[in-house]
């Protein structure tokens, strides 16, 4: 299947997953197009559209939690950032994705501990 | 820094350092050998982090994610 | 009131305990699953990437998608890691050893 068609297909399938979770594709079309393209490349190489910004371990149980959209498995963390780690998805109310910063896992856990989120 | 060849934020991080003429070394995790990957995972986990990139080491500090403000603050100190 | 549309699916005897069967009824892909004396009918398209759940592993009332291990409760259709996501569950009745599915008014 050609890359553009597969990107479009992933977009359609993933839209149906993220919408009920309160997310949408980032308004930054350039980033979205780039990330979907990477996912198609990753899918061709590894068999699944894994997150382009998280690393594979070779352990199925761990790696399956970073197949896009991986929001269900990192919900609280991504909700705190209002975006997913790679930025393909943002909370529905976000119009300016550049204003969102990535919060690392340890920072997020610290914020939880301190009751800041 | 540890990065992924597929990650736009890793690219932005590399560009940021390059534009500021700050010398840096990087390893793309996805292009690394199994042994290197294992080592990188150990570093991530030692810092309480997942296997998320970019993973930027500045001196004794670590910044996970694309965050120019944090990079600058650490570079200036 | 709309007329109920019950469609014949299969014979109860065709499904052994723990067995899953994939059917296409009215153009819809459906997984029939027998769990001891109960039969469940859910959409056979995983909400993630439409993989056939009928090929997944069943443990208790939980079916695990063969593609990416997404887990669904076959009673409610709910995805265990985000309850907002559900596969369709079809209403079902057994009469004279035959299983019928209600093809309208899915519980979503």
């Amino acid at each position: 299947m050609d890359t553009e068609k597969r990107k479009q297909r992933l977009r359609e399938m993933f839209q149906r997953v993220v919408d009920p979770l309160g997310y949408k594709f980032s308004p930054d079309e350039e980033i979205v197009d780039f990330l979907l393209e990477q996912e198609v490349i990753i899918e061709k190489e590894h068999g699944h559209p894994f997150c382009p910004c998280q690393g594979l371990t070779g352990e199925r149980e761990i790696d399956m939690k970073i197949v896009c959209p991986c929001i269900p498995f990192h919900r609280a963390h991504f909700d705190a950032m209002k975006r997913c780690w790679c930025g393909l998805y943002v909370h529905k109310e976000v119009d300016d994705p550049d204003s969102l910063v990535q919060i690392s896992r340890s920072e997020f856990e610290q914020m939880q501990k301190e009751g800041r989120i | 820094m540890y990065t992924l060849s597929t990650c736009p934020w890793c690219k932005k991080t590399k560009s940021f350092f390059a534009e500021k003429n700050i010398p840096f070394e990087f390893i793309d995790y996805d292009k690394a050998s199994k042994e290197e990957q294992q080592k990188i995972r150990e570093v991530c986990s030692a810092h309480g982090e997942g296997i998320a990139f970019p993973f930027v080491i500045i001196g004794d500090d670590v910044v996970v994610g694309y965050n120019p403000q944090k990079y600058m603050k650490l570079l200036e100190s | 009131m709309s007329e109920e549309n019950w469609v014949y699916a299969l014979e109860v005897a065709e499904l052994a305990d723990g067995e899953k069967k994939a059917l296409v009824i009215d153009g819809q892909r459906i997984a029939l699953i027998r769990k001891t004396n109960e039969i469940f009918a859910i959409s056979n398209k995983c909400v993630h990437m439409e993989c056939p759940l009928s090929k997944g592993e069943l443990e208790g009332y939980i079916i695990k998608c063969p593609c990416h291990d997404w887990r669904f409760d076959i009673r409610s259709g709910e995805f265990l890691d985000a309850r907002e996501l559900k596969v369709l569950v079809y209403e079902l009745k057994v009469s004279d050893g035959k299983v019928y599915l209600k093809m309208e008014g899915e519980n979503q």
Side-chain angles (χ1 to χ4, degrees):
Chain A
M1 192 185 248
D2 85 44
T3 303
E4 285 307 314
K5 274 191 190 153
R6 187 59 183 162
K7 274 159 72 176
Q8 190 51 36
R9 182 81 183 111
L10 292 183
R11 195 190 265 262
E12 288 160 11
M13 286 192 289
F14 295 168
Q15 167 65 26
R16 291 198 288 265
V17 174
V18 302
D19 182 72
L21 303 178
Y23 286 77
K24 64 179 181 184
F25 279 97
S26 170
D28 185 339
E29 265 303 320
E30 206 178 314
I31 281 275
V32 168
D33 188 70
F34 180 85
L35 287 165
L36 283 174
E37 180 135 351
Q38 298 310 307
E39 289 190 4
V40 172
I41 294 167
I42 292 168
E43 187 181 40
K44 277 184 191 153
E45 192 178 334
H46 297 282
H48 308 288
F50 291 110
C51 175
C53 294
Q54 296 178 79
L56 291 168
T57 65
E59 275 182 63
R60 183 175 171 99
E61 204 182 326
I62 298 171
D63 292 344
M64 284 299 130
K65 291 189 165 55
I66 61 162
V67 177
C68 187
C70 67
I71 298 165
F73 307 104
H74 312 270
R75 191 83 177 266
H77 182 183
F78 292 177
D79 280 349
M81 297 190 287
K82 298 189 177 184
R83 54 170 278 179
C84 68
W85 182 255
C86 74
L88 182 56
Y89 310 106
V90 297
H91 270 187
K92 280 181 187 172
E93 80 275 9
V94 172
D95 295 322
D96 176 17
D98 286 340
S99 65
L100 306 177
V101 284
Q102 286 176 302
I103 301 169
S104 83
R105 192 169 85 181
S106 71
E107 285 172 306
F108 167 68
E109 285 168 358
Q110 189 63 30
M111 285 164 76
Q112 270 186 322
K113 218 184 278 174
E114 292 168 3
R116 282 191 282 149
I117 41 167
Chain B
M1 61 180 77
Y2 300 128
T3 48
L4 280 170
S5 71
T6 51
C7 170
W9 309 100
C10 298
K11 287 188 201 301
K12 283 177 195 271
T13 304
K14 289 173 189 168
S15 304
F16 176 83
F17 277 72
E19 279 163 20
K20 300 266 182 226
N21 288 317
I22 304 159
F24 65 95
E25 290 170 27
F26 73 90
I27 300 175
D28 278 336
Y29 177 86
D30 52 327
K31 304 286 181 201
S33 69
K34 292 269 172 265
E35 292 74 26
E36 273 178 311
Q37 289 189 347
Q38 173 68 31
K39 209 191 96 198
I40 293 168
R41 287 201 297 273
E42 282 165 14
V43 174
C44 294
S45 124
H47 284 87
E49 299 293 351
I51 310 154
F53 300 97
F55 188 100
V56 183
I57 304 169
I58 301 171
D60 293 331
D61 291 295
V62 160
V63 180
V64 180
Y66 175 65
N67 197 327
Q69 277 182 325
K70 277 195 185 160
Y71 304 152
M72 282 317 284
K73 211 172 143 194
L74 289 171
L75 287 164
E76 281 162 6
S77 64
Chain C
M1 237 172 71
S2 63
E3 224 173 273
E4 290 187 349
N5 181 24
W6 290 96
V7 178
Y8 168 76
L10 46 58
E11 304 287 319
V12 173
E14 289 178 61
L15 270 180
D17 183 20
E19 199 182 349
K20 298 151 286 183
K21 267 207 161 67
L23 294 177
V24 177
I25 298 173
D26 284 2
Q28 299 184 42
R29 285 164 49 193
I30 298 170
L32 273 289
I33 302 157
R34 180 156 178 185
K35 171 79 190 145
T36 51
N37 289 320
E38 291 173 284
I39 295 175
F40 298 90
I42 60 174
S43 164
N44 202 20
K45 293 197 294 188
C46 179
V47 295
H48 181 207
M49 295 182 73
E50 304 187 357
C51 291
L53 294 171
S54 60
K55 294 201 169 127
E57 276 173 42
L58 183 69
E59 209 180 302
Y61 291 100
I62 307 304
I63 195 146
K64 189 157 91 174
C65 179
C67 287
H68 306 108
D69 301 351
W70 282 33
R71 297 167 305 148
F72 298 87
D73 189 317
I74 59 171
R75 294 165 295 188
S76 61
E78 282 177 339
F79 172 44
L80 297 195
D81 291 288
R83 303 274 173 180
E84 299 93 328
L85 295 173
K86 282 181 187 177
V87 287
L88 284 182
V89 176
Y90 294 86
E91 216 180 301
L92 170 157
K93 71 179 178 187
V94 178
S95 171
D96 280 343
K98 296 177 196 305
V99 177
Y100 297 86
L101 301 185
K102 194 172 172 184
M103 294 309 292
E104 291 157 343
E106 294 93 351
N107 74 341
Q108 209 178 35

